[in-house]
């Protein structure tokens, strides 16, 4: 549907016309934009059925704007808009992105101070040239500065795992307040994306003003950017922006659906709603002005003909097109098989890790420290590994089976870092690449396959070696590896460390096509890290993995068969 595209163009035209001192027209464009944006019907359908006359009949749309709409529908362009864009300096549109700078103020800055872009705006701020302008002042200088800093920070995204503990804390903090009736995180956090741009929180409250006040007093808040009766915006100490919106109880479901996104999913769902004669927005699902759903997300999806769609998979891939099977769930995981202790580069003892695993209701835990070549990670010499196997056997925690293992380096020539004689003694052998990342594609795949051919090796760890925002994945003929693993009953790890998430969901999808089975591991280096499991499960969900695709959902006995 092109309604929004067209509305956006008319909004932009209004802004430009205003900057160019044209009277009346800006208001007319905005009125038309609002009308087109909020209507239920698809503007293309109207045009197909009734032609130009149909568009002319849209409230707020006059003859001349109707013609331009027709031009856009026919050619994908509006000539006048292209010409208008040329009449203003290039950076002005980015200036309108600065909070508190609408077209009027941008125009003023341009006319009086010749400011055309953010760079020139910064220079003017430094010289305090703006506060003396009519309609500005000291306060607006401060606001502009705040907004500029935000724009800078907006470009920085934090890892889901970095944000997770703070958000959990904030939610607990708000839940404890007695005026709070409901509170939930939305946005990319709820979808469990790899990185988070900002945090979006929704609440229902008996006293919105009080809730916002509590919110801005949360100890992790660095600065308050805005506060009102229903909305608060803060910058957290980790430099992430966090918004809290207080909504009406019967709109909670629709607001949660809207602010969970992602945006393409929402756009697609809205289109479907329109096709079925509804209108969907953050206030509810409507049929002819009558609200028919909105209290819960579930009833919205149901009315539109869908089962409940978990937030993790709302990414506009297949979730609105195909029937969704029962996906892997956070509670399905029975054990973690890639865990370090202080015997190599971890922080905790075997017993401490075991007790932490027991707390998570796991049935088994694999202790897999580094192998001898990994000197910087204190990899174990053979004789030390043998001692550890004994210690692991002797560590008893009721209901939890400890497995002895190793994360063995794949050396540059594809050989493994321990002899077969040693590997045979282990329950779990994970092969991993920690060096020679620059090996070319062909050699890399040979090197990996040579290692995986070893009958003792069952798991291939963090296949791409990527570190999010730090190290690119290495060049890999992944499909070849997938084929090999599927055929030879080797399992590919979904490493759940927040900075790895390796495989990511896109590669999990590729591997699934080849019938690969996976194991989700945390690669924990201290006991708290065992909680990373959820980040790996979320990636698996996004790829539509089912329980049977993930082998560490199996009961101990069956799992052990896979390791033989
Ligand atoms: P982020 O913050 O970059 O990590 O990603 P999100 O998905 O949290 O994005 P954000 O915070 O800009 O917006 C939160 C949700 O609000 C987004 O996922 C969907 C919804 N949303 C935002 N803008 C629009 C929009 O223009 N149209 C629709 N339909 N939904 C929107
Ligand atoms: Ca967000
Ligand atoms: Ca947001």
């Amino acid at each position: 549907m092109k309604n929004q595209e067209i509305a956006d163009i008319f909004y932009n035209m209004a802004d430009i016309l205003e900057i160019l001192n044209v009277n009346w027209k800006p208001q007319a464009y905005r009125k038309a934009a609002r009308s087109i944006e909020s209507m239920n019907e698809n503007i293309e359908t109207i045009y197909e059925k009734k032609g130009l006359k149909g568009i002319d009949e849209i409230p707020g749309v006059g003859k001349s704007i109707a013609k331009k709409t027709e031009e856009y529908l026919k050619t994908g362009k509006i000539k006048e808009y292209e010409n208008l864009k040329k009449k203003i300096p290039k950076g002005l549109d980015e200036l309108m992105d600065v909070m508190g700078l609408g077209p009027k103020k941008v125009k003023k800055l341009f006319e009086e101070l010749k400011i055309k872009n953010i760079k020139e705006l910064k220079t003017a701020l430094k010289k305090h040239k703006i506060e003396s302008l009519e309609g500005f002042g000291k306060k607006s200088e401060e606001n502009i500065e705040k907004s500029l800093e935000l724009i800078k920070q907006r470009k920085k995204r934090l890892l889901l795992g970095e944000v997770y503990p703070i958000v959990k804390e904030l939610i607990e903090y708000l839940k404890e307040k007695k005026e709070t009736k409901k509170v939930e995180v939305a946005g990319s956090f709820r979808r469990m994306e790899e990185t988070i741009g900002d945090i979006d929180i929704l609440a229902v409250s008996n006293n919105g003003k009080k809730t916002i006040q509590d919110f801005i007093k949360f100890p992790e808040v660095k600065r308050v950017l805005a506060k009102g009766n229903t909305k608060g915006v803060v910058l957290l100490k980790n430099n992430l922006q966090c918004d809290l919106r207080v909504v009406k109880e019967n709109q909670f479901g629709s607001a949660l659906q809207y602010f969970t996104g992602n945006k393409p999913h929402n756009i697609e769902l809205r289109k479907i709603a329109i096709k079925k004669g509804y209108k969907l927005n953050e206030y509810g699902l409507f049929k002819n002005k009558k609200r028919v759903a909105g209290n819960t997300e579930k009833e919205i999806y149901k009315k539109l003909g869908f089962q409940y769609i978990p937030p993790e998979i709302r990414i506009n891939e297949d979730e609105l097109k195909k029937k969704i099977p029962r996906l892997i769930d956070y509670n399905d995981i029975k054990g973690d098989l890639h865990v370090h202790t202080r015997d190599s580069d971890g922080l905790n003892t075997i017993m401490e890790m075991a007790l932490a695993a027991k707390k998570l209701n796991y049935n088994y835990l694999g202790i897999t420290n580094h192998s001898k070549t990994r000197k910087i990670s204190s990899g174990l010499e053979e004789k030390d590994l043998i001692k550890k196997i004994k210690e692991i056997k002797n560590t008893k925690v009721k209901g939890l089976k400890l497995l002895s293992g190793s994360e063995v380096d794949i050396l540059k020539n594809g050989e493994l870092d321990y002899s077969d004689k040693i590997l045979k003694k282990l329950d779990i052998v994970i092969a991993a690449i920690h060096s020679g990342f620059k090996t070319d594609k062909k050699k890399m795949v040979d090197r990996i396959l040579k290692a995986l051919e070893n009958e003792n090796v069952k798991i291939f760890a963090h296949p791409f070696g990527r570190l999010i925002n730090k190290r690119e994945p290495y060049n890999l003929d992944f499909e070849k590896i997938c084929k090999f693993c599927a055929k030879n009953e080797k399992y590919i790890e979904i490493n759940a460390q927040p900075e790895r998430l390796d495989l990511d969901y896109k590669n999990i999808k590729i591997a699934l096509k080849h019938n690969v089975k996976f194991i989700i591991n945390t690669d924990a280096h201290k006991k708290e890290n065992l909680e990373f499991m959820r980040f790996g499960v979320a990636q698996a969900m996004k790829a539509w993995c089912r329980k049977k695709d993930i082998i560490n959902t199996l009961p101990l006995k069956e799992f052990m068969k896979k390791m033989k």
Side-chain angles (χ1 to χ4, degrees), residues 157 187-188 191 196-198 200 258-261 263 266 270:
R157 302 178 65 85
S188 49
R191 299 195 314 274
I196 307 296
D198 74 1
D200 311 275
Y258 180 89
F259 287 107
T260 296
K263 200 169 159 180
N266 283 357
R270 251 196 340 245

Side-chain angles (χ1 to χ4, degrees), residues 339-343 347-357 365-369 380 387-397 400 402-404 527 530:
V339 163
H340 298 269
T341 65
R342 66 177 187 201
D343 303 311
L347 287 182
N348 292 102
T349 61
I350 295 169
M351 186 50 123
E352 284 164 347
M353 294 308 277
L355 291 173
L365 176 73
I367 305 292
T368 52
N369 282 312
L380 297 173
K387 270 191 219 154
K388 286 299 151 191
I389 295 174
K390 280 204 189 106
E391 188 182 332
I392 289 165
K393 266 209 183 97
N394 292 328
T395 308
K396 306 272 187 222
V397 171
L400 182 85
L402 279 182
L403 304 170
S404 53
K527 58 184 198 290
L530 291 176

Side-chain angles (χ1 to χ4, degrees), residues 288-544:
N288 307 322
K289 307 240 153 109
K290 192 172 168 282
R291 237 176 75 102
V292 294
N295 289 29
T296 66
E297 290 188 311
K298 208 170 181 171
E299 68 179 24
I300 294 171
Y301 282 111
K302 195 168 169 208
K303 267 264 180 301
L304 293 173
F306 296 100
Q307 65 194 93
Y308 176 75
I309 301 179
E312 289 87 345
I313 67 165
R314 295 184 200 167
I315 50 182
N316 197 30
E317 290 194 0
D318 284 327
E319 77 276 11
L320 295 170
K321 296 190 191 90
K322 294 184 183 160
K323 177 152 173 47
I324 306 163
R326 193 249 183 222
L327 303 177
I328 171 85
D329 185 73
Y330 299 101
N331 299 318
D332 291 336
I333 302 293
K334 299 251 168 36
D336 194 336
L337 289 307
H338 184 166
V339 163
H340 298 269
T341 65
R342 66 177 187 201
D343 303 311
S344 70
D345 56 348
L347 287 182
N348 292 102
T349 61
I350 295 169
M351 186 50 123
E352 284 164 347
M353 294 308 277
L355 291 173
K358 172 76 194 163
K359 259 201 186 144
L360 295 174
N361 281 323
Y362 286 163
N363 301 136
Y364 42 92
L365 176 73
I367 305 292
T368 52
N369 282 312
H370 287 289
S371 59
K372 62 185 180 200
T373 303
R374 285 277 80 218
K375 293 271 184 313
I376 50 164
S377 310
S378 313
L380 297 173
E381 293 294 335
E382 275 97 349
K383 63 175 189 344
D384 298 319
L385 180 60
I386 303 249
K387 270 191 219 154
K388 286 299 151 191
I389 295 174
K390 280 204 189 106
E391 188 182 332
I392 289 165
K393 266 209 183 97
N394 292 328
T395 308
K396 306 272 187 222
V397 171
K398 200 168 174 264
L400 182 85
K401 171 79 177 165
L402 279 182
L403 304 170
S404 53
S406 175
E407 181 185 13
V408 190
D409 263 48
I410 301 174
L411 305 177
K412 289 212 173 80
N413 59 7
E415 274 168 28
L416 293 162
D417 200 14
Y418 289 129
S419 68
D420 284 351
K421 199 172 147 229
I422 293 273
L423 295 177
K424 269 200 175 58
K425 295 184 196 294
L426 298 167
D427 302 314
I428 308 285
V429 180
I430 304 176
I433 293 217
H434 291 112
S435 61
F437 297 120
K438 295 234 151 64
T439 313
D440 78 63
K441 197 167 167 173
K442 171 82 180 62
K443 282 205 185 111
M444 191 60 126
V445 85
D446 291 344
R447 174 183 171 195
I448 292 167
L449 291 183
K450 183 171 172 197
L452 295 183
E453 266 164 16
N454 184 305
E455 57 172 7
N456 298 300
V457 174
K458 281 290 171 187
I459 302 165
F460 180 38
H462 42 69
F464 281 89
R466 72 148 177 182
L467 296 175
I468 299 172
N469 292 341
K470 270 194 214 149
R471 188 170 72 206
E472 289 292 306
Y474 42 69
N475 214 345
L476 200 58
D477 185 347
F478 185 54
E479 304 220 31
K480 192 161 178 189
I481 290 176
C482 289
K483 280 178 201 153
F484 179 88
C485 289
K487 191 163 163 228
N488 296 285
E489 296 179 317
K490 309 284 175 175
Y491 305 98
I492 299 189
E493 180 182 79
I494 297 169
N495 189 297
Q497 272 210 41
E499 64 169 6
R500 288 194 184 269
L501 295 179
D502 180 10
L503 301 174
D504 63 359
Y505 88 87
K506 291 200 167 122
N507 283 307
I508 301 173
K509 266 189 162 177
I510 292 172
L512 265 181
K513 277 201 197 118
H514 292 281
N515 294 317
V516 167
K517 303 272 181 220
F518 308 91
I519 184 160
I520 308 177
N521 286 328
T522 65
D523 201 350
H525 283 68
K526 55 182 178 186
K527 58 184 198 290
E528 293 79 9
N529 292 169
L530 291 176
E531 309 250 349
F532 290 164
M533 187 58 82
R534 57 171 66 88
F535 307 131
V537 173
Q539 288 295 319
M541 288 175 81
K542 284 181 196 297
W544 289 30

Side-chain angles (χ1 to χ4, degrees), residues 20-31:
L20 295 173
N21 277 329
V22 177
N23 285 330
W24 297 113
K25 274 191 174 177
Q27 284 91 310
Y29 277 108
R30 286 202 187 103
K31 197 168 166 193

Side-chain angles (χ1 to χ4, degrees), residues 187 197-200 241 243 245 259:
D198 74 1
I199 303 161
D200 311 275
Q241 187 180 312
D243 306 351
R245 289 181 180 80
F259 287 107

